[in-house]
Amino acid sequence: MNQPLKYLVTYSENGLTLYLNPATAHAAVIKDDETPENAERILHGRGLYDPPKTIPPSSYGLLEITHACNLRCTFCDANAAVRGEDELTFDEIRSIVDKMRECGIHVIALTGGEPLLREDALDILKYIKESGANTVLTTNSILMTDNIAKRLLEMETFVQVGLDGSSPQTNDPVRGEGSFKKTMEGIRILSGHKVPFRLSTVITKYNYEDINNITKLASDMGATGVTFRKMNILGRAMDNASSAPSDAQFVKVGYDIFLDTIRYGGKMRIQFPYQIAIFEGRGTMCNKIICLPARSNCVVSPEGDIFPCHSLREDFFLGNIRTDDLCETWNTSKIAENIRELDIESIKCRSCRYKYLCGGGCRAEAYYHRGDITDYGIGCEGVKKYYDTILSAMLKMIGSEMYGKRQTDSL
């Protein structure tokens, strides 16, 4: 049968074929002996031909307000440690917020380092809120207090808390001894004041068997969700690559996240970049790089440098807010324009059968490890094995739903 859609992904086992549209996340399973007419009817009925949702242009600003951090996470791609000598002043940050709003940015996130190490962090959030933008705070929550939580709730700030395990045994090897206990104290304060928050977890060899416990902990503490992400070998992680999971461990993690996403359903949102095309669909950006560099985030460093991505630095410097207009730089930079033009067909991943699911992986890893932003990412073999596992599971689940359990028992 001819593939009816440009981005269609297929996977076959034992007389059944899974058809998945990564733009819409619609899927169907068809017996290999179905007539072409009946197969087409099934694909239409399961929504494989439905138009993808339109992905709006970037409206997210990432404002790094300090290099200082009270942890030394082994995987930190920002290599955060101590405050820089020339970090932005409060007045300069207010000016950046004004410019971001002028550029049409509607969500502004404070990050670092640890943003709460700046005494004016809450004042910055207050100014962002007064500008009409939504506020986000990324933090390890160690400095959280009742007073801070109350103010965050008043400002309707959404909080993302970094936590990499459900116990000291799985969290502390990468975040530091005692960090689990301290972070949990902060989470309890946020939860007690009903401040909306989610957990952010980096996958390592220490927590690859802990995924179900992490999602349960998030649910028990009242989090709105959990965001899992691959450990990118950048920044401090360059010297700690041994903390990354093996391919087999990554596959297990991905499968556990897949099952938890189904298990928790609408109760809590579980995010993992590699499964966006499976559960949500990538919409009109299906042929673009997964993280949409120079599109999804406008990044400003603690010194005011403008970058297309929080991991693409040095050679990808676009300008500085102390000397350049933020909106003009973001919209006219040749570097940013070249990165925006990157799509799946313009990088080496174009020959991969899972390119529209994966979205090309991290371009920063490709650049800093291979010297070419269009080269392959890191960990491709593990990602391919992950998709083999997930698509096989989907085939069994959907095949059982469509044709009955007996048809899929042998798979």
Side-chain angles (χ1 to χ4, degrees):
M1 184 180 62
N2 294 326
Q3 292 188 0
L5 296 168
K6 179 179 180 181
Y7 305 130
L8 200 65
V9 176
T10 62
Y11 182 88
S12 299
E13 278 185 13
N14 294 1
L16 294 175
T17 298
L18 169 74
Y19 292 82
L20 171 64
N21 182 348
T24 63
H26 290 149
V29 170
I30 298 177
K31 293 180 182 179
D32 291 351
D33 59 2
E34 288 280 10
T35 64
E37 294 78 11
N38 201 36
E40 287 293 305
R41 180 185 62 79
I42 293 172
L43 291 178
H44 276 284
R46 300 283 297 193
L48 272 292
Y49 286 94
D50 288 0
K53 63 184 177 182
T54 300
I55 305 298
S58 171
S59 61
Y60 198 91
L62 195 64
L63 189 49
E64 301 172 344
I65 61 174
T66 185
H67 292 293
C69 192
N70 47 2
L71 294 179
R72 297 293 183 272
C73 300
T74 60
F75 53 73
C76 181
D77 52 9
N79 209 10
V82 298
R83 183 166 184 168
E85 296 180 358
D86 194 27
E87 293 186 352
L88 296 164
T89 66
F90 178 68
D91 287 340
E92 287 176 321
I93 291 174
R94 288 198 305 177
S95 176
I96 294 171
V97 171
D98 293 341
K99 275 296 179 182
M100 284 185 169
R101 297 293 290 131
E102 183 181 321
C103 294
I105 290 174
H106 304 301
V107 180
I108 301 177
L110 291 196
T111 183
E114 170 50 54
L116 293 179
L117 283 172
R118 277 193 63 140
E119 294 180 356
D120 56 1
L122 294 180
D123 293 329
I124 295 171
L125 286 170
K126 182 174 182 289
Y127 188 80
I128 295 172
K129 179 64 178 176
E130 291 174 346
S131 76
N134 294 322
T135 57
V136 176
L137 173 69
T138 64
T139 176
N140 55 41
S141 83
I142 289 175
L143 298 176
M144 191 58 56
T145 65
D146 288 314
N147 181 57
I148 291 175
K150 289 176 183 177
R151 291 191 63 186
L152 292 173
L153 185 64
E154 291 171 0
M155 293 183 286
E156 299 178 292
T157 297
F158 185 81
V159 180
Q160 176 170 289
V161 181
L163 185 72
D164 297 313
S166 67
S167 69
Q169 289 70 35
T170 52
N171 176 85
D172 290 5
V174 291
R175 285 191 167 263
E177 186 176 353
S179 59
F180 176 80
K181 179 181 179 181
K182 295 174 183 176
T183 294
M184 284 303 299
E185 289 171 356
I187 289 174
R188 290 188 184 95
I189 292 173
L190 289 169
S191 181
H193 288 279
K194 301 191 182 307
V195 177
F197 73 95
R198 72 179 172 209
L199 299 186
S200 175
T201 298
V202 175
I203 300 165
T204 70
K205 69 177 183 182
Y206 301 103
N207 65 14
Y208 81 95
E209 293 185 302
D210 199 28
I211 300 304
N212 301 137
N213 295 325
I214 293 170
T215 52
K216 183 178 185 304
L217 174 65
S219 178
D220 291 345
M221 296 304 298
T224 64
V226 188
T227 296
F228 293 98
R229 69 178 179 89
K230 173 179 171 286
M231 177 179 161
N232 291 333
I233 312 302
L234 300 167
R236 194 176 294 138
M238 289 277 203
D239 297 322
N240 297 284
S242 61
S243 294
S246 66
D247 286 351
Q249 291 169 345
F250 181 80
V251 172
K252 172 177 170 45
V253 166
Y255 186 64
D256 286 345
I257 294 172
F258 171 77
L259 292 180
D260 272 352
T261 304
I262 296 171
R263 183 178 298 120
Y264 284 91
K267 302 173 187 175
M268 184 174 69
R269 189 180 185 197
I270 298 176
Q271 296 174 285
F272 184 43
Y274 294 97
Q275 68 177 28
I276 291 174
I278 293 170
F279 284 103
E280 302 176 33
R282 298 193 57 217
T284 51
M285 291 296 181
C286 197
N287 66 328
K288 300 298 182 182
I289 305 302
I290 185 68
C291 60
L292 303 177
R295 289 176 182 269
S296 63
N297 294 330
C298 176
V299 181
V300 179
S301 79
E303 290 79 27
D305 293 335
I306 307 166
F307 295 106
C309 161
H310 73 277
S311 296
L312 287 172
R313 307 282 174 147
E314 293 94 21
D315 295 342
F316 301 92
F317 170 80
L318 306 183
N320 185 282
I321 60 94
R322 287 168 170 158
T323 56
D324 304 298
D325 181 85
L326 178 63
C327 297
E328 182 179 353
T329 300
W330 184 251
N331 292 322
T332 64
S333 164
K334 188 64 177 176
I335 293 174
E337 180 183 339
N338 290 339
I339 294 174
R340 288 188 192 107
E341 290 177 356
L342 282 178
D343 59 28
I344 302 302
E345 302 301 333
S346 64
I347 63 177
K348 292 186 178 179
C349 303
R350 58 184 170 270
S351 61
C352 178
R353 65 189 298 251
Y354 294 142
K355 58 188 177 182
Y356 297 121
L357 297 180
C358 168
C362 178
R363 294 296 89 206
E365 281 191 312
Y367 182 78
Y368 291 114
H369 284 269
R370 309 191 194 281
D372 183 355
I373 197 171
T374 69
D375 212 323
Y376 297 107
I378 303 299
C380 288
E381 290 309 309
V383 173
K384 291 175 185 177
K385 292 174 183 175
Y386 156 76
Y387 281 124
D388 286 341
T389 300
I390 298 304
L391 295 184
S392 176
M394 290 180 66
L395 185 146
K396 294 179 178 67
M397 292 176 181
I398 299 173
S400 178
E401 171 197 337
M402 294 179 62
Y403 295 107
K405 187 175 186 300
R406 294 181 63 182
Q407 176 72 34
T408 56
D409 277 346
S410 61
L411 295 181

